[in-house]
Amino acid sequence: MNILMAEDYIILHNNLKKILSSLFDNVDASVDGKEALELYNNKHEQNESYDIVLSDIAMPYVDGVELTRIIKKINPSQEIIILSAHKEVDYLLEFINLGVRRFIPKPVVLEYFLDELYLACSDIYTQSELLNIIHLSNNIFYNKGEKFLYMDGMPIILSAYERLIIEKLILKLNLSVSTDEIVSHLYNCDKDVNPENIRKLMYRLRQKLPKDFIQSMHGVGYRLVQQVENKSI
């Protein structure tokens, strides 16, 4: 994960940066809200994002409230943690209205600080996993992040070719995929395959999955049909 920190008090700034650098892959640290906003916009322009933004409230040029307001317009789901002193409690309702739910009081207590970071990271990871999971049946799911297919909680061992074929079928879940589309997808992934060999690859792939999990459509191609049951309570 990566984090953007905005804190103008230089001693706390340096201490927090040192701690965060030991926990996160990438730490961008700013000494005021204007610099933080520039860093955030640069990240956004590169089609990237910060997992967490950690911000003080009282800062030069752009304060924490305005920084939060602008960031939430760019990315409403951005995880933001606010560092707040007791004298700044009047701002808390405004932050809550902006969608901020995590606050770390000043003076910063290391144990509490680490607990809040852990909870935030855990929530992000859980949400990311949920978004990455595609349930194909009641006991089979595909993890888009890992690009692995699981059955009964265990990964199905697939060859590189089989994995790419599954990937293509899932991209067009419940729809037919022609042999030419599969060949083209493999070719774009640096796997040159003769169309005549697709049938053999599909046969081996289907042997690793439940019967009729991948359907052959005569003269059309193949189709992976989602088989999740809707259970009412």
Side-chain angles (χ1 to χ4, degrees):
M1 290 187 176
N2 59 80
I3 187 169
L4 171 63
M5 180 190 74
E7 169 59 57
D8 66 320
Y9 181 49
I10 196 64
I11 295 176
L12 181 58
H13 176 102
N14 291 337
N15 286 337
L16 290 179
K17 185 177 179 180
K18 184 177 180 180
I19 294 168
L20 294 171
S21 295
S22 69
L23 301 171
F24 291 84
D25 286 337
N26 178 62
V27 178
D28 287 339
S30 57
V31 293
D32 59 64
K34 180 181 177 182
E35 184 183 9
L37 190 55
E38 289 173 354
L39 289 167
Y40 194 90
N41 283 328
N42 288 339
K43 199 84 165 173
H44 183 69
E45 288 171 3
Q46 296 169 11
N47 292 319
E48 298 178 357
S49 61
Y50 290 101
D51 295 292
I52 295 174
V53 174
L54 176 66
S55 177
D56 190 16
I57 296 178
M59 296 184 293
Y61 309 118
V62 177
D63 65 20
V65 177
E66 186 62 18
L67 177 64
T68 297
R69 184 178 291 112
I70 295 171
I71 287 175
K72 284 291 187 178
K73 285 183 179 178
I74 298 171
N75 179 11
S77 63
Q78 177 65 61
E79 180 70 39
I80 298 177
I81 302 176
I82 297 298
L83 296 164
S84 63
H86 292 298
K87 63 183 179 181
E88 297 170 324
V89 291
D90 292 341
Y91 291 102
L92 299 190
L93 181 58
E94 192 166 0
F95 279 114
I96 291 172
N97 289 335
L98 288 170
V100 176
R101 296 293 181 267
R102 297 192 184 279
F103 301 90
I104 296 176
K106 291 182 176 181
V108 176
V109 177
L110 181 59
E111 184 177 2
Y112 186 86
F113 178 72
L114 294 176
D115 282 347
E116 280 299 308
L117 281 179
Y118 173 80
L119 290 171
C121 291
S122 180
D123 286 349
I124 292 168
Y125 179 80
T126 301
Q127 184 62 27
S128 175
E129 282 297 290
L130 289 173
L131 292 173
N132 276 328
I133 299 299
I134 299 176
H135 288 278
L136 302 173
S137 72
N138 290 329
N139 69 326
I140 298 177
F141 67 86
Y142 180 72
N143 188 308
K144 292 192 294 183
E146 298 177 353
K147 295 188 176 181
F148 274 124
L149 193 64
Y150 288 83
M151 183 163 61
D152 296 324
M154 299 296 293
I156 300 172
I157 306 302
L158 302 175
S159 70
Y161 290 93
E162 292 165 348
R163 187 176 297 174
L164 289 170
I165 291 172
I166 282 290
E167 182 181 87
K168 182 61 179 179
L169 292 173
I170 288 175
L171 283 173
K172 296 187 67 175
L173 189 61
N174 298 317
L175 300 174
S176 61
V177 181
S178 69
T179 297
D180 287 344
E181 286 181 275
I182 294 172
V183 170
S184 178
H185 180 65
L186 292 171
Y187 181 79
N188 290 334
C189 297
D190 298 323
K191 303 292 184 185
D192 196 2
V193 179
N194 190 308
E196 295 177 1
N197 291 327
I198 294 298
R199 183 179 295 180
K200 296 177 183 178
L201 286 170
M202 293 302 299
Y203 174 79
R204 288 200 292 266
L205 176 58
R206 294 171 77 177
Q207 295 302 303
K208 300 178 180 182
L209 298 167
K211 185 179 180 181
D212 296 328
F213 191 74
I214 297 176
Q215 299 177 356
S216 292
M217 304 181 69
H218 184 68
V220 178
Y222 303 90
R223 182 173 63 177
L224 196 161
V225 179
Q226 204 167 23
Q227 302 170 11
V228 179
E229 296 179 4
N230 294 320
K231 295 182 178 180
S232 57
I233 299 175

